[in-house]
Amino acid sequence: MSANVIAGPQVFSTGSLEYSGKAVDGVVHVPGVRYGERLDAADRFSPLRDPSPGRAQAGSTVFPQSPGSLDWLMGPALSSLEQDEDSFLLDIWTPEGALDLPVLVFLPGGAFISGAGNVGWYDGARLAAEGNAVVVTVSYRLGALALLGGSGVPLNLGVQDILQALTWISANISAFGGDPAAVTLAGHSAGAWYAYVLSLAPAAKGLFCRTALFSLPWQPPLSPAAYAERRELFNGFLKDALDGGTPDGALDGGSLATAPVPAILEAQAAVGKAYAGRGLGLVPAADGGLVPDWAMDFRRAASSLHVESLLLSSTDNEAAAFLHPVPVAAVSPEQVAGFVAGHFEEAPEVLDFLDSRIPDATPHAKLVEAMSLHQFRLAATELAGRANAAGVEATLLRFSVPSKLDGVGSPHCFELPFLFGNREDWRDAPMLRGFPEDSFEAVSGQLRSLLLSFVANGRPRSADGEPLDRFTADHPQLHALAADGVVAGTIEPELRARR
């Protein structure tokens, strides 16, 4: 293998600000690009403005977070990065000499409480080179510092940060060789949720024209009552973490505004434990603005989409990532039946489907299947259908390549190393252990081709150039990416999830 070809520093200018990057094998990486700064530097909940002169770039830091709950699957790469509340940063990869190229903006996931765009997992060099595109990754505020600031009205600072990043990209990406009129917004998991919500938001109209959603979770925004409940619970845990809290035992916004980060992380971890088995502890709440209360009502939401096309992808066994730590013997048939009854309109029909799809499976495996259906796969199918009915082109994809890790199948997050094609940056990921290199390259090449062709013109194509059929009412096509290529998948029957 030949050594990488490394060029000297390259400088990009956007008005009064300059950014430096280094080219490797024809792609320039510009790290630590600041997309915004707080209007009030002393207020951790302040909205953002454009960066000031002299603050164009920063070191690679991430927003405060605890180790991720899926580190056992993905590896510990996030834990090696320094944390800072001022991590309003982009990383940009652009081919040398780029001019008016399509732009891919990627939002990482992490259950709304962890993640960062500048971790090595999301190195965009290969996508930029193969797609002749500009690739941008975004970091945004997380956890209580993003979701519980302010008083009784949620601020949803994570989505505000992303909107500021998209605004900055629209105004400045041409300096890096990108076309601001050809931006695709992509996201994974919580990042997909934010990308989807911004695809509905009037404030984001015109900032991107296509959306690629990987493992979009069905996660309705919190109601005012549910938000107040989370906030009160968090405040109680924060009081404990601060060893006494305020004299009268009550916490107000000022306490969260000044509490040290370790106490905040301790309190939000306690909220997560309190909601274990009932969903995520900290999630965005409806705010009447960027996050509407009807966001997950796909019938209504589809008519508000302001993008031309959607790429919707999920994995075969999404919930295996979350249930793998639960011992197989700990899940009973009664628990499966209880979950199905609570999450689907016609429980007997769903139980029959589970028996026919995985007839000899354990109750644990059937619970994985039922949760994957409810939270991810059926949501993607429904959104594809509603988008098509509203005149938005949609393509439905299923990542059906299993990990060699025992008992997980194709779990949540497993497609990410294949998407970026950077196995070396995932060398500590248990989910890739034992996966053959030639198979990795073949699957990765197919997935990158699907995404990059979508970025180029909104029509995903396989590695041999074949376009994927769009999802329509007359032809509700699911495309499965298997180890041997892209094949026709089978749409699940209309198993009506309780929404």
Side-chain angles (χ1 to χ4, degrees):
M1 182 179 293
S2 60
N4 292 334
V5 178
I6 302 175
Q10 300 198 22
V11 176
F12 303 85
S13 177
T14 60
S16 60
L17 301 182
E18 290 190 343
Y19 306 83
S20 63
K22 183 177 291 185
V24 177
D25 292 340
V27 174
V28 186
H29 178 207
V30 188
V33 174
R34 193 177 296 280
Y35 64 80
E37 63 184 20
R38 294 182 181 86
L39 282 168
D40 180 354
D43 178 8
R44 62 179 14 154
F45 303 121
S46 172
L48 303 182
R49 64 183 176 194
D50 287 343
S52 304
R55 301 198 74 211
Q57 280 177 278
S60 290
T61 61
V62 302
F63 284 106
Q65 56 193 278
S66 299
S69 62
L70 297 185
D71 282 6
W72 68 270
L73 186 69
M74 301 172 69
L78 265 172
S79 301
S80 65
L81 296 175
E82 181 183 348
Q83 299 188 10
D84 192 312
E85 288 189 60
D86 195 30
S87 298
F88 303 103
L89 303 174
L90 310 170
D91 272 38
I92 300 173
W93 290 264
T94 183
E96 288 187 282
L99 180 65
D100 294 333
L101 298 184
V103 180
L104 169 63
V105 179
F106 180 80
L107 308 178
F112 303 104
I113 61 172
S114 67
N118 51 10
V119 67
W121 293 334
Y122 310 124
D123 186 308
R126 193 167 186 181
L127 287 172
E130 294 182 1
N132 198 29
V134 177
V135 178
V136 185
T137 58
V138 182
S139 294
Y140 50 86
R141 277 177 277 193
L142 303 166
L145 292 172
L147 300 170
L148 297 180
S151 53
V153 179
L155 294 179
N156 286 320
L157 293 174
V159 72
Q160 288 191 43
D161 293 348
I162 297 165
L163 181 60
Q164 167 64 23
L166 290 168
T167 302
W168 186 96
I169 290 166
S170 182
N172 297 285
I173 202 64
S174 59
F176 299 87
D179 180 358
V183 176
T184 297
L185 181 60
H188 176 262
S189 194
W193 196 94
Y194 280 134
Y196 165 70
V197 166
L198 284 165
S199 300
L200 310 173
K205 186 175 183 180
L207 297 178
F208 54 99
C209 58
R210 290 179 280 273
T211 309
L213 304 175
F214 293 89
S215 296
L216 171 70
W218 187 80
Q219 176 61 65
L222 297 178
S223 67
Y227 173 76
E229 179 184 277
R230 300 297 205 286
R231 187 176 168 81
E232 181 178 2
L233 187 63
F234 174 84
N235 284 346
F237 287 129
L238 183 59
K239 177 177 179 289
D240 294 340
L242 292 172
D243 193 27
T246 53
D248 62 0
L251 283 171
D252 56 22
S255 297
L256 179 56
T258 58
V261 166
I264 293 172
L265 296 179
E266 180 182 335
Q268 71 183 38
V271 173
K273 289 180 181 178
Y275 279 88
R278 296 185 290 159
L280 300 177
L282 296 180
V283 296
D287 59 16
L290 289 175
V291 182
D293 58 4
W294 44 263
M296 287 288 138
D297 178 354
F298 295 140
R299 183 190 299 272
R300 177 175 177 181
S303 63
S304 295
L305 288 166
H306 57 73
V307 293
E308 302 167 357
S309 49
L310 293 175
L311 174 61
L312 299 162
S313 178
S314 55
T315 71
D316 265 347
N317 312 106
E318 296 274 6
F322 314 114
L323 289 177
H324 185 70
V326 178
V328 171
V331 180
S332 67
E334 292 75 21
Q335 287 173 303
V336 176
F339 178 88
V340 169
H343 292 81
F344 293 89
E345 297 289 346
E346 299 292 338
E349 182 182 359
V350 176
L351 291 173
D352 287 346
F353 170 79
L354 297 178
D355 288 339
S356 64
R357 182 176 173 90
I358 43 177
D360 299 320
T362 63
H364 187 284
K366 290 183 178 179
L367 184 58
V368 167
E369 176 70 7
M371 289 182 65
S372 300
L373 274 170
H374 182 270
Q375 290 299 113
F376 296 96
R377 299 198 330 242
L378 292 179
T381 302
E382 182 184 354
L383 178 55
R386 300 299 185 193
N388 171 255
V392 177
E393 296 176 348
T395 306
L396 190 61
L397 182 67
R398 184 75 50 78
F399 190 81
S400 300
V401 179
S403 168
K404 301 300 182 182
L405 190 64
D406 186 46
V408 301
S410 183
H412 193 67
C413 298
F414 189 51
E415 78 275 40
L416 289 172
F418 299 88
L419 188 67
F420 285 86
N422 57 336
R423 183 168 186 164
E424 178 58 24
D425 292 309
W426 296 83
R427 57 188 174 277
D428 297 327
M431 64 185 181
L432 276 180
R433 287 177 189 159
F435 201 92
E437 183 62 31
D438 56 347
S439 296
F440 178 89
E441 281 299 313
V443 173
S444 180
Q446 288 284 4
L447 189 55
R448 291 195 311 277
S449 176
L450 293 170
L451 175 61
L452 290 171
S453 53
F454 180 76
V455 169
N457 58 24
R459 190 72 185 271
R461 294 177 180 271
S462 61
D464 59 7
E466 284 297 311
L468 270 57
D469 291 340
R470 298 185 176 98
F471 189 102
T472 67
D474 295 333
H475 186 53
Q477 181 64 58
L478 167 68
H479 304 276
L481 176 52
D484 55 355
V486 182
V487 298
T490 303
I491 294 284
E492 287 89 3
E494 192 174 347
L495 304 170
R496 289 178 294 163
R498 291 189 189 275
R499 302 302 197 198

